[in-house]
Amino acid sequence: MALPLSYNIRNIAVRWQVTALAVGGIALVVAVLLVLTAMANGFRVALRATGSTQNAIVTQRGSTAELTSGMSRDTANTILVDSRVARDGQGRPLASPEIVLVASLPRRGATGAPEVNVTVRGVSPMAFQVRQGLKIVQGRQFTPGLYELVVGKQASERYEGTQIGSTIKLQRRSWQVVGIFSSEGSGFESEVWGDVDAMGGAFNRSNGYQSLTLRLKDPSAAARFDAELQKNPAMQVQLQGERDFYEKQAGQTATTLTILAVFVGVVMGIGAIFGAMNTMYGLVASRTREIGTLRALGFSRLSIMAAFIIESAVLALIAGVVGCLLALPVNFLSGATGGANFSQVAFAFRISGLWLVVAIIAAVCMGVFGGMLPSFRAARTPITAALRDA
């Protein structure tokens, strides 16, 4: 004869002070797991949204990041005249040769804190046509040839001296911030942009570029285009989809954050299991007479063991829900971590539905494992001994 589920629910309500300890421990594990995975997921989503599926990016052959890439102006100009590159209404190639630099800027509101690396990108005016989703939300676009900058929305919120009208010192020159742009939450919002020719002269990069972003007439032709470029010994470059390129940048960092989340979750989960086990042992010890009475009424050992395991699982389920609720406020909060160009990439924490389900399942598993040994002890308690000890 099985014990009704209402029996377990009533016991949880009656002994809420003791069971709250187990709930708190498991809920904390769930919350920490979700926060860390939200960080990894947010970073991955930010770089996944960087770039367009219609665009391709050309970099030096073998390079994995723009900062370590380089190509001559002749190489870039040869690619620009290829018939597979899309044109605008005036027949100009939809392409932006670019240079990538790293500058140190102070964090906003962090007095005395060390400066952090920020990506500074020199782009052509065509960049805002090549990359869809980019738009100036405050101020105006920089004027080609002048020492002017536009700042990504995330960067403007995180770093000092990035508001419109302020100046930033780059290579002993003062660059004026004239606009703020958004890019649908992509990694570009963590960057500072200026005219590629002005930056090339200021940073002694006038002889070449580090990347070339271009719009393709037919994105499916990217693989064939790349094969032809790599066969040409005069061009030590490679071509790949822009979105694929930036998504790969997230791979190692996002994977490391996910592994860290799982590792911390496992370590804390083991502690939570022992916490749940101690709680359940305390409940068994305090209910010796009750267990003996149940056995005397004809309930089998298996029924009592199952009842305590169910009770532990219900506790863990409640703890899992509480942990999810504790973690939800971090959703869409802003954070930053290092990117492939040795600079910070800002992103929004994102708690995925999949990890919510995983966290709930993990919580229930912690409760079940934590309740097994105490449940077995309860089931093995002799009727006479239980009634006598009570």
Side-chain angles (χ1 to χ4, degrees), residues 79-102:
I79 297 172
L80 288 177
V81 299
D82 193 283
S83 61
R84 286 165 288 197
V85 179
R87 300 293 196 272
D88 66 3
Q90 301 178 31
R92 298 174 300 182
L94 287 170
S96 175
E98 298 175 356
I99 60 175
V100 177
L101 311 160
V102 175

Side-chain angles (χ1 to χ4, degrees), residues 40-269:
N41 190 46
F43 182 71
R44 185 181 287 110
V45 168
L47 288 188
R48 185 183 300 153
T50 303
S52 168
T53 54
Q54 295 180 306
N55 293 348
I57 184 168
V58 180
T59 54
Q60 184 178 358
R61 193 178 302 171
S63 65
T64 57
E66 291 169 278
L67 198 63
T68 58
S69 173
M71 70 180 73
S72 68
R73 286 179 175 251
D74 289 340
T75 296
N77 291 333
T78 301
I79 297 172
L80 288 177
V81 299
D82 193 283
S83 61
R84 286 165 288 197
V85 179
R87 300 293 196 272
D88 66 3
Q90 301 178 31
R92 298 174 300 182
L94 287 170
S96 175
E98 298 175 356
I99 60 175
V100 177
L101 311 160
V102 175
S104 296
L105 294 178
R107 283 285 304 275
R108 178 164 292 182
T111 305
E115 296 182 336
V116 295
N117 290 337
V118 179
T119 297
V120 178
R121 184 181 296 271
V123 303
S124 72
M126 191 65 74
F128 284 84
Q129 295 185 49
V130 176
R131 294 188 169 98
Q132 298 173 330
L134 284 170
K135 60 181 180 180
I136 300 293
V137 293
Q138 294 181 43
R140 60 175 176 84
Q141 193 177 138
F142 60 79
T143 302
L146 298 184
Y147 296 147
E148 295 181 343
L149 302 172
V150 291
V151 179
K153 183 180 177 182
Q154 292 277 4
S156 69
E157 295 172 354
R158 298 185 66 85
Y159 309 119
E160 292 285 357
T162 54
Q163 62 270 25
I164 294 176
S166 61
T167 58
I168 297 176
K169 281 284 188 180
L170 297 176
Q171 201 68 6
R172 297 189 299 276
R173 287 181 170 85
S174 296
W175 299 70
Q176 185 177 16
V177 178
V178 298
I180 295 173
F181 69 91
S182 66
S183 60
E184 300 178 339
S186 74
F188 291 134
E189 291 189 2
S190 302
E191 300 180 355
V192 176
W193 288 15
D195 179 60
V196 65
D197 292 326
M199 284 193 174
F203 288 88
N204 297 319
R205 301 286 183 89
S206 300
N207 295 327
Y209 308 111
Q210 286 172 283
S211 66
L212 174 64
T213 300
L214 46 88
R215 178 85 55 81
L216 294 175
K217 291 180 180 177
D218 180 10
S220 64
R224 187 167 61 253
F225 199 169
D226 175 54
E228 292 179 12
L229 289 175
Q230 300 219 34
K231 285 180 182 178
N232 189 339
M235 292 189 176
Q236 298 297 313
V237 295
Q238 60 190 11
L239 179 147
Q240 55 189 305
E242 186 187 25
R243 180 161 293 183
D244 293 338
F245 176 80
Y246 288 112
E247 189 171 352
K248 288 177 183 176
Q249 309 288 301
Q252 186 174 0
T253 302
T255 300
T256 301
L257 290 173
T258 303
I259 292 173
L260 175 64
V262 173
F263 175 76
V264 172
V266 169
V267 172
M268 294 185 66

Side-chain angles (χ1 to χ4, degrees), residues 3-54:
L3 283 164
L5 185 61
S6 58
Y7 166 76
N8 305 108
I9 303 299
R10 287 196 301 269
N11 275 312
I12 292 175
V14 170
R15 298 174 174 85
W16 65 270
Q17 297 97 331
V18 178
T19 56
L21 295 175
V23 169
I26 296 176
L28 181 61
V29 175
V30 169
V32 171
L33 176 65
L34 285 176
V35 169
L36 290 175
T37 55
M39 181 188 299
N41 190 46
F43 182 71
R44 185 181 287 110
V45 168
L47 288 188
R48 185 183 300 153
T50 303
S52 168
T53 54
Q54 295 180 306

